[in-house]
Amino acid sequence: MNVTLKRWSTGLAALLLALSLSACGAKNEDSSASQQPAAQTEQSADNSASQTKTDELKTTYPLTIQDATGESFTFKEAPKHIISVSPAETEALFAIGLDSEIVGVSDYDDYPEAAKSKAKMGGITKPNEEAIIAAQPDIVFTGISMSEEAVKKLRDLGIQIFKTDPKTVDDVIKNIETYGLITDHQAEAKAVVDKMKQEENEVTEAVKSLTPEQKKKVYIEFSPGWTVGKGEFMDELITLAGGVNVAADTEGWSEISEEKIIKDNPDVILYANSVIDEKTKKSLGDIIKGRSGWDQITAVKNDAVIGLDDNLLSRPGPRVTQGLKEVAKAIYPDLFK
């Protein structure tokens, strides 16, 4: 990821420098500017500044960039046929206005509504290779659900697959900026990113005055018996929302120890609200509250076991900051009335 951002920053810096030199050259060549009326000169300057800002958000091709696996991609032009086999990436691509360019999505892509009508390309961990090859995409985007081994297999079949692996909200934001750069939709990406930053700021400003003693302990369960520790964006959502993740002493996604959660005694328990046990037909919330000994946990006693939208909670895409707001509201309802 660092290599990707370095390449992206270098390319953008070079672009800005070229535009700056171009603007300076144009100014030197136009010796008549000093003879124009003041109002006209100011108007010309405003138009020039506006044009420069617009030009700065245009991608210069060929563009070479690396993905999270270190694989290098050179784009001679903006890709016209795009496949996404990751719901988070699909949301991001639609958000920056690439509906017409998207020719296929994974079987699990359900947002936005337009994604449902796109051709299906199989699963998110093992997509349909034949369907992808037949669609002849310029690029295939995938995310955290696909292993590097699976990515390598697809590449060995000649499929150009660009993988992301965001660990933080900032990583998600930079991925969206990267998609904008690759597809020459930088202005659209900037609009999305600006909104995300505003939503993040709303949360961090609301909780910044909390003292360590006031911060609530939080446990999150997104699948029966599974939680998330440090090093993943879902853990960061809890931290940004002013909470303390009781599983922060573990790494990544991990199976829980029920005894440990009882001992940790979280003030708030968050869970994915659409998860239903196939055998018992119980919701994940009912499963959590029905566990032996968990009735002694503060969150259960205080009825602070709260279900959240799975997609907002688990997809590192453009709605992740909406998920952050929901997490913050669940932990500190009085701060977000």
PDB file of all heavy atoms in Angstrom, residues 104-133:
ATOM      1  N   GLY A 104     -19.240  -5.952 -14.833  1.00  0.00           N
ATOM      2  CA  GLY A 104     -19.496  -7.132 -14.026  1.00  0.00           C
ATOM      3  C   GLY A 104     -19.171  -6.901 -12.566  1.00  0.00           C
ATOM      4  O   GLY A 104     -18.290  -6.093 -12.234  1.00  0.00           O
ATOM      5  N   VAL A 105     -19.890  -7.606 -11.667  1.00  0.00           N
ATOM      6  CA  VAL A 105     -19.680  -7.494 -10.225  1.00  0.00           C
ATOM      7  C   VAL A 105     -19.791  -8.885  -9.608  1.00  0.00           C
ATOM      8  O   VAL A 105     -20.209  -9.844 -10.266  1.00  0.00           O
ATOM      9  CB  VAL A 105     -20.721  -6.554  -9.572  1.00  0.00           C
ATOM     10  CG1 VAL A 105     -20.605  -5.136 -10.136  1.00  0.00           C
ATOM     11  CG2 VAL A 105     -22.139  -7.086  -9.759  1.00  0.00           C
ATOM     12  N   SER A 106     -19.454  -8.989  -8.338  1.00  0.00           N
ATOM     13  CA  SER A 106     -19.551 -10.286  -7.672  1.00  0.00           C
ATOM     14  C   SER A 106     -21.007 -10.637  -7.378  1.00  0.00           C
ATOM     15  O   SER A 106     -21.901  -9.782  -7.442  1.00  0.00           O
ATOM     16  CB  SER A 106     -18.745 -10.277  -6.358  1.00  0.00           C
ATOM     17  OG  SER A 106     -19.530  -9.797  -5.284  1.00  0.00           O
ATOM     18  N   ASP A 107     -21.240 -11.888  -7.035  1.00  0.00           N
ATOM     19  CA  ASP A 107     -22.590 -12.348  -6.711  1.00  0.00           C
ATOM     20  C   ASP A 107     -23.159 -11.659  -5.472  1.00  0.00           C
ATOM     21  O   ASP A 107     -24.371 -11.679  -5.244  1.00  0.00           O
ATOM     22  CB  ASP A 107     -22.596 -13.867  -6.468  1.00  0.00           C
ATOM     23  CG  ASP A 107     -22.274 -14.654  -7.736  1.00  0.00           C
ATOM     24  OD1 ASP A 107     -22.293 -14.054  -8.829  1.00  0.00           O
ATOM     25  OD2 ASP A 107     -21.992 -15.859  -7.621  1.00  0.00           O
ATOM     26  N   TYR A 108     -22.280 -11.080  -4.649  1.00  0.00           N
ATOM     27  CA  TYR A 108     -22.706 -10.498  -3.376  1.00  0.00           C
ATOM     28  C   TYR A 108     -22.868  -8.980  -3.441  1.00  0.00           C
ATOM     29  O   TYR A 108     -23.230  -8.357  -2.442  1.00  0.00           O
ATOM     30  CB  TYR A 108     -21.696 -10.860  -2.284  1.00  0.00           C
ATOM     31  CG  TYR A 108     -21.568 -12.342  -2.069  1.00  0.00           C
ATOM     32  CD1 TYR A 108     -20.565 -13.072  -2.711  1.00  0.00           C
ATOM     33  CD2 TYR A 108     -22.455 -13.028  -1.247  1.00  0.00           C
ATOM     34  CE1 TYR A 108     -20.455 -14.448  -2.540  1.00  0.00           C
ATOM     35  CE2 TYR A 108     -22.355 -14.401  -1.065  1.00  0.00           C
ATOM     36  CZ  TYR A 108     -21.357 -15.105  -1.720  1.00  0.00           C
ATOM     37  OH  TYR A 108     -21.257 -16.461  -1.550  1.00  0.00           O
ATOM     38  N   ASP A 109     -22.629  -8.398  -4.581  1.00  0.00           N
ATOM     39  CA  ASP A 109     -22.724  -6.939  -4.705  1.00  0.00           C
ATOM     40  C   ASP A 109     -24.181  -6.521  -4.798  1.00  0.00           C
ATOM     41  O   ASP A 109     -24.882  -6.861  -5.748  1.00  0.00           O
ATOM     42  CB  ASP A 109     -21.954  -6.469  -5.944  1.00  0.00           C
ATOM     43  CG  ASP A 109     -20.448  -6.626  -5.775  1.00  0.00           C
ATOM     44  OD1 ASP A 109     -20.036  -7.328  -4.836  1.00  0.00           O
ATOM     45  OD2 ASP A 109     -19.696  -6.048  -6.563  1.00  0.00           O
ATOM     46  N   ASP A 110     -24.637  -5.752  -3.793  1.00  0.00           N
ATOM     47  CA  ASP A 110     -26.045  -5.372  -3.724  1.00  0.00           C
ATOM     48  C   ASP A 110     -26.261  -3.878  -3.531  1.00  0.00           C
ATOM     49  O   ASP A 110     -27.381  -3.421  -3.306  1.00  0.00           O
ATOM     50  CB  ASP A 110     -26.738  -6.129  -2.591  1.00  0.00           C
ATOM     51  CG  ASP A 110     -26.045  -5.921  -1.241  1.00  0.00           C
ATOM     52  OD1 ASP A 110     -25.108  -5.085  -1.157  1.00  0.00           O
ATOM     53  OD2 ASP A 110     -26.428  -6.597  -0.270  1.00  0.00           O
ATOM     54  N   TYR A 111     -25.183  -3.097  -3.607  1.00  0.00           N
ATOM     55  CA  TYR A 111     -25.302  -1.646  -3.423  1.00  0.00           C
ATOM     56  C   TYR A 111     -24.281  -0.943  -4.297  1.00  0.00           C
ATOM     57  O   TYR A 111     -23.134  -1.391  -4.378  1.00  0.00           O
ATOM     58  CB  TYR A 111     -25.067  -1.279  -1.945  1.00  0.00           C
ATOM     59  CG  TYR A 111     -25.377   0.167  -1.643  1.00  0.00           C
ATOM     60  CD1 TYR A 111     -26.640   0.549  -1.203  1.00  0.00           C
ATOM     61  CD2 TYR A 111     -24.409   1.157  -1.807  1.00  0.00           C
ATOM     62  CE1 TYR A 111     -26.930   1.889  -0.934  1.00  0.00           C
ATOM     63  CE2 TYR A 111     -24.700   2.490  -1.550  1.00  0.00           C
ATOM     64  CZ  TYR A 111     -25.952   2.850  -1.105  1.00  0.00           C
ATOM     65  OH  TYR A 111     -26.239   4.165  -0.850  1.00  0.00           O
ATOM     66  N   PRO A 112     -24.702   0.132  -5.000  1.00  0.00           N
ATOM     67  CA  PRO A 112     -26.049   0.687  -5.048  1.00  0.00           C
ATOM     68  C   PRO A 112     -27.003  -0.205  -5.844  1.00  0.00           C
ATOM     69  O   PRO A 112     -26.596  -1.255  -6.339  1.00  0.00           O
ATOM     70  CB  PRO A 112     -25.845   2.038  -5.736  1.00  0.00           C
ATOM     71  CG  PRO A 112     -24.657   1.801  -6.622  1.00  0.00           C
ATOM     72  CD  PRO A 112     -23.760   0.880  -5.849  1.00  0.00           C
ATOM     73  N   GLU A 113     -28.228   0.249  -6.008  1.00  0.00           N
ATOM     74  CA  GLU A 113     -29.253  -0.547  -6.693  1.00  0.00           C
ATOM     75  C   GLU A 113     -28.798  -0.953  -8.094  1.00  0.00           C
ATOM     76  O   GLU A 113     -29.081  -2.057  -8.565  1.00  0.00           O
ATOM     77  CB  GLU A 113     -30.561   0.246  -6.773  1.00  0.00           C
ATOM     78  CG  GLU A 113     -31.738  -0.544  -7.288  1.00  0.00           C
ATOM     79  CD  GLU A 113     -32.188  -1.668  -6.358  1.00  0.00           C
ATOM     80  OE1 GLU A 113     -31.952  -1.563  -5.133  1.00  0.00           O
ATOM     81  OE2 GLU A 113     -32.781  -2.644  -6.864  1.00  0.00           O
ATOM     82  N   ALA A 114     -28.072  -0.049  -8.768  1.00  0.00           N
ATOM     83  CA  ALA A 114     -27.623  -0.316 -10.142  1.00  0.00           C
ATOM     84  C   ALA A 114     -26.690  -1.519 -10.217  1.00  0.00           C
ATOM     85  O   ALA A 114     -26.577  -2.164 -11.261  1.00  0.00           O
ATOM     86  CB  ALA A 114     -26.929   0.924 -10.716  1.00  0.00           C
ATOM     87  N   ALA A 115     -26.022  -1.849  -9.109  1.00  0.00           N
ATOM     88  CA  ALA A 115     -25.087  -2.982  -9.111  1.00  0.00           C
ATOM     89  C   ALA A 115     -25.823  -4.305  -9.302  1.00  0.00           C
ATOM     90  O   ALA A 115     -25.261  -5.272  -9.829  1.00  0.00           O
ATOM     91  CB  ALA A 115     -24.296  -3.013  -7.804  1.00  0.00           C
ATOM     92  N   LYS A 116     -27.080  -4.363  -8.877  1.00  0.00           N
ATOM     93  CA  LYS A 116     -27.838  -5.608  -8.950  1.00  0.00           C
ATOM     94  C   LYS A 116     -28.108  -6.051 -10.384  1.00  0.00           C
ATOM     95  O   LYS A 116     -28.326  -7.234 -10.640  1.00  0.00           O
ATOM     96  CB  LYS A 116     -29.158  -5.456  -8.192  1.00  0.00           C
ATOM     97  CG  LYS A 116     -28.998  -5.209  -6.701  1.00  0.00           C
ATOM     98  CD  LYS A 116     -30.352  -5.036  -6.028  1.00  0.00           C
ATOM     99  CE  LYS A 116     -30.213  -4.767  -4.548  1.00  0.00           C
ATOM    100  NZ  LYS A 116     -31.526  -4.574  -3.885  1.00  0.00           N
ATOM    101  N   SER A 117     -28.104  -5.112 -11.315  1.00  0.00           N
ATOM    102  CA  SER A 117     -28.416  -5.441 -12.707  1.00  0.00           C
ATOM    103  C   SER A 117     -27.170  -5.753 -13.539  1.00  0.00           C
ATOM    104  O   SER A 117     -27.279  -6.088 -14.719  1.00  0.00           O
ATOM    105  CB  SER A 117     -29.187  -4.286 -13.356  1.00  0.00           C
ATOM    106  OG  SER A 117     -28.392  -3.114 -13.394  1.00  0.00           O
ATOM    107  N   LYS A 118     -25.999  -5.657 -12.936  1.00  0.00           N
ATOM    108  CA  LYS A 118     -24.762  -5.954 -13.658  1.00  0.00           C
ATOM    109  C   LYS A 118     -24.538  -7.461 -13.753  1.00  0.00           C
ATOM    110  O   LYS A 118     -25.015  -8.233 -12.922  1.00  0.00           O
ATOM    111  CB  LYS A 118     -23.570  -5.292 -12.962  1.00  0.00           C
ATOM    112  CG  LYS A 118     -23.622  -3.765 -12.928  1.00  0.00           C
ATOM    113  CD  LYS A 118     -23.468  -3.162 -14.307  1.00  0.00           C
ATOM    114  CE  LYS A 118     -23.478  -1.641 -14.248  1.00  0.00           C
ATOM    115  NZ  LYS A 118     -23.289  -1.018 -15.573  1.00  0.00           N
ATOM    116  N   ALA A 119     -23.802  -7.878 -14.772  1.00  0.00           N
ATOM    117  CA  ALA A 119     -23.478  -9.297 -14.941  1.00  0.00           C
ATOM    118  C   ALA A 119     -22.731  -9.822 -13.722  1.00  0.00           C
ATOM    119  O   ALA A 119     -21.864  -9.131 -13.175  1.00  0.00           O
ATOM    120  CB  ALA A 119     -22.641  -9.483 -16.201  1.00  0.00           C
ATOM    121  N   LYS A 120     -23.055 -11.033 -13.287  1.00  0.00           N
ATOM    122  CA  LYS A 120     -22.448 -11.612 -12.090  1.00  0.00           C
ATOM    123  C   LYS A 120     -21.197 -12.412 -12.451  1.00  0.00           C
ATOM    124  O   LYS A 120     -21.189 -13.193 -13.402  1.00  0.00           O
ATOM    125  CB  LYS A 120     -23.445 -12.505 -11.363  1.00  0.00           C
ATOM    126  CG  LYS A 120     -24.712 -11.767 -10.919  1.00  0.00           C
ATOM    127  CD  LYS A 120     -24.396 -10.556 -10.063  1.00  0.00           C
ATOM    128  CE  LYS A 120     -25.645  -9.793  -9.656  1.00  0.00           C
ATOM    129  NZ  LYS A 120     -25.337  -8.551  -8.925  1.00  0.00           N
ATOM    130  N   MET A 121     -20.152 -12.198 -11.638  1.00  0.00           N
ATOM    131  CA  MET A 121     -18.845 -12.795 -11.898  1.00  0.00           C
ATOM    132  C   MET A 121     -18.412 -13.775 -10.813  1.00  0.00           C
ATOM    133  O   MET A 121     -17.221 -14.037 -10.647  1.00  0.00           O
ATOM    134  CB  MET A 121     -17.791 -11.676 -12.028  1.00  0.00           C
ATOM    135  CG  MET A 121     -18.062 -10.726 -13.178  1.00  0.00           C
ATOM    136  SD  MET A 121     -17.790 -11.514 -14.791  1.00  0.00           S
ATOM    137  CE  MET A 121     -19.041 -10.699 -15.798  1.00  0.00           C
ATOM    138  N   GLY A 122     -19.369 -14.311 -10.061  1.00  0.00           N
ATOM    139  CA  GLY A 122     -19.018 -15.310  -9.054  1.00  0.00           C
ATOM    140  C   GLY A 122     -18.741 -14.712  -7.690  1.00  0.00           C
ATOM    141  O   GLY A 122     -19.123 -13.590  -7.390  1.00  0.00           O
ATOM    142  N   GLY A 123     -18.061 -15.513  -6.860  1.00  0.00           N
ATOM    143  CA  GLY A 123     -17.817 -15.133  -5.473  1.00  0.00           C
ATOM    144  C   GLY A 123     -16.734 -14.099  -5.294  1.00  0.00           C
ATOM    145  O   GLY A 123     -16.041 -13.709  -6.240  1.00  0.00           O
ATOM    146  N   ILE A 124     -16.560 -13.674  -4.023  1.00  0.00           N
ATOM    147  CA  ILE A 124     -15.561 -12.662  -3.715  1.00  0.00           C
ATOM    148  C   ILE A 124     -14.198 -13.269  -3.380  1.00  0.00           C
ATOM    149  O   ILE A 124     -13.184 -12.588  -3.460  1.00  0.00           O
ATOM    150  CB  ILE A 124     -16.016 -11.758  -2.555  1.00  0.00           C
ATOM    151  CG1 ILE A 124     -16.372 -12.593  -1.320  1.00  0.00           C
ATOM    152  CG2 ILE A 124     -17.202 -10.914  -2.985  1.00  0.00           C
ATOM    153  CD1 ILE A 124     -16.813 -11.780  -0.126  1.00  0.00           C
ATOM    154  N   THR A 125     -14.192 -14.543  -3.008  1.00  0.00           N
ATOM    155  CA  THR A 125     -12.911 -15.213  -2.753  1.00  0.00           C
ATOM    156  C   THR A 125     -12.482 -16.077  -3.940  1.00  0.00           C
ATOM    157  O   THR A 125     -11.302 -16.223  -4.217  1.00  0.00           O
ATOM    158  CB  THR A 125     -12.994 -16.089  -1.491  1.00  0.00           C
ATOM    159  OG1 THR A 125     -14.041 -17.067  -1.648  1.00  0.00           O
ATOM    160  CG2 THR A 125     -13.276 -15.236  -0.267  1.00  0.00           C
ATOM    161  N   LYS A 126     -13.487 -16.630  -4.640  1.00  0.00           N
ATOM    162  CA  LYS A 126     -13.213 -17.447  -5.826  1.00  0.00           C
ATOM    163  C   LYS A 126     -14.181 -17.061  -6.944  1.00  0.00           C
ATOM    164  O   LYS A 126     -15.210 -17.710  -7.141  1.00  0.00           O
ATOM    165  CB  LYS A 126     -13.349 -18.936  -5.492  1.00  0.00           C
ATOM    166  CG  LYS A 126     -12.327 -19.444  -4.488  1.00  0.00           C
ATOM    167  CD  LYS A 126     -12.524 -20.922  -4.206  1.00  0.00           C
ATOM    168  CE  LYS A 126     -11.497 -21.439  -3.218  1.00  0.00           C
ATOM    169  NZ  LYS A 126     -11.695 -22.894  -2.916  1.00  0.00           N
ATOM    170  N   PRO A 127     -13.864 -16.007  -7.656  1.00  0.00           N
ATOM    171  CA  PRO A 127     -14.775 -15.570  -8.732  1.00  0.00           C
ATOM    172  C   PRO A 127     -14.796 -16.547  -9.896  1.00  0.00           C
ATOM    173  O   PRO A 127     -13.957 -17.451  -9.989  1.00  0.00           O
ATOM    174  CB  PRO A 127     -14.193 -14.217  -9.144  1.00  0.00           C
ATOM    175  CG  PRO A 127     -12.757 -14.274  -8.746  1.00  0.00           C
ATOM    176  CD  PRO A 127     -12.698 -15.115  -7.519  1.00  0.00           C
ATOM    177  N   ASN A 128     -15.749 -16.355 -10.789  1.00  0.00           N
ATOM    178  CA  ASN A 128     -15.913 -17.206 -11.964  1.00  0.00           C
ATOM    179  C   ASN A 128     -14.893 -16.797 -13.029  1.00  0.00           C
ATOM    180  O   ASN A 128     -15.059 -15.782 -13.711  1.00  0.00           O
ATOM    181  CB  ASN A 128     -17.345 -17.067 -12.503  1.00  0.00           C
ATOM    182  CG  ASN A 128     -17.648 -18.033 -13.629  1.00  0.00           C
ATOM    183  OD1 ASN A 128     -16.820 -18.301 -14.487  1.00  0.00           O
ATOM    184  ND2 ASN A 128     -18.867 -18.550 -13.633  1.00  0.00           N
ATOM    185  N   GLU A 129     -13.859 -17.596 -13.164  1.00  0.00           N
ATOM    186  CA  GLU A 129     -12.766 -17.250 -14.083  1.00  0.00           C
ATOM    187  C   GLU A 129     -13.235 -17.148 -15.526  1.00  0.00           C
ATOM    188  O   GLU A 129     -12.857 -16.226 -16.257  1.00  0.00           O
ATOM    189  CB  GLU A 129     -11.642 -18.288 -13.958  1.00  0.00           C
ATOM    190  CG  GLU A 129     -11.064 -18.387 -12.555  1.00  0.00           C
ATOM    191  CD  GLU A 129     -10.405 -19.726 -12.285  1.00  0.00           C
ATOM    192  OE1 GLU A 129     -10.416 -20.588 -13.197  1.00  0.00           O
ATOM    193  OE2 GLU A 129      -9.885 -19.917 -11.168  1.00  0.00           O
ATOM    194  N   GLU A 130     -14.078 -18.106 -15.930  1.00  0.00           N
ATOM    195  CA  GLU A 130     -14.548 -18.123 -17.314  1.00  0.00           C
ATOM    196  C   GLU A 130     -15.380 -16.872 -17.635  1.00  0.00           C
ATOM    197  O   GLU A 130     -15.245 -16.283 -18.710  1.00  0.00           O
ATOM    198  CB  GLU A 130     -15.383 -19.376 -17.583  1.00  0.00           C
ATOM    199  CG  GLU A 130     -14.606 -20.684 -17.558  1.00  0.00           C
ATOM    200  CD  GLU A 130     -14.333 -21.186 -16.144  1.00  0.00           C
ATOM    201  OE1 GLU A 130     -14.911 -20.606 -15.180  1.00  0.00           O
ATOM    202  OE2 GLU A 130     -13.550 -22.139 -15.997  1.00  0.00           O
ATOM    203  N   ALA A 131     -16.234 -16.479 -16.680  1.00  0.00           N
ATOM    204  CA  ALA A 131     -17.083 -15.308 -16.900  1.00  0.00           C
ATOM    205  C   ALA A 131     -16.237 -14.042 -17.013  1.00  0.00           C
ATOM    206  O   ALA A 131     -16.509 -13.172 -17.849  1.00  0.00           O
ATOM    207  CB  ALA A 131     -18.095 -15.169 -15.765  1.00  0.00           C
ATOM    208  N   ILE A 132     -15.210 -13.948 -16.181  1.00  0.00           N
ATOM    209  CA  ILE A 132     -14.339 -12.770 -16.218  1.00  0.00           C
ATOM    210  C   ILE A 132     -13.594 -12.696 -17.543  1.00  0.00           C
ATOM    211  O   ILE A 132     -13.545 -11.641 -18.195  1.00  0.00           O
ATOM    212  CB  ILE A 132     -13.341 -12.795 -15.038  1.00  0.00           C
ATOM    213  CG1 ILE A 132     -14.086 -12.585 -13.718  1.00  0.00           C
ATOM    214  CG2 ILE A 132     -12.274 -11.714 -15.218  1.00  0.00           C
ATOM    215  CD1 ILE A 132     -13.213 -12.688 -12.493  1.00  0.00           C
ATOM    216  N   ILE A 133     -13.029 -13.813 -17.970  1.00  0.00           N
ATOM    217  CA  ILE A 133     -12.272 -13.834 -19.237  1.00  0.00           C
ATOM    218  C   ILE A 133     -13.185 -13.479 -20.404  1.00  0.00           C
ATOM    219  O   ILE A 133     -12.816 -12.715 -21.300  1.00  0.00           O
ATOM    220  CB  ILE A 133     -11.618 -15.208 -19.442  1.00  0.00           C
ATOM    221  CG1 ILE A 133     -10.517 -15.434 -18.390  1.00  0.00           C
ATOM    222  CG2 ILE A 133     -11.031 -15.325 -20.844  1.00  0.00           C
ATOM    223  CD1 ILE A 133      -9.955 -16.830 -18.354  1.00  0.00           C
TER     224      ILE A 133
END
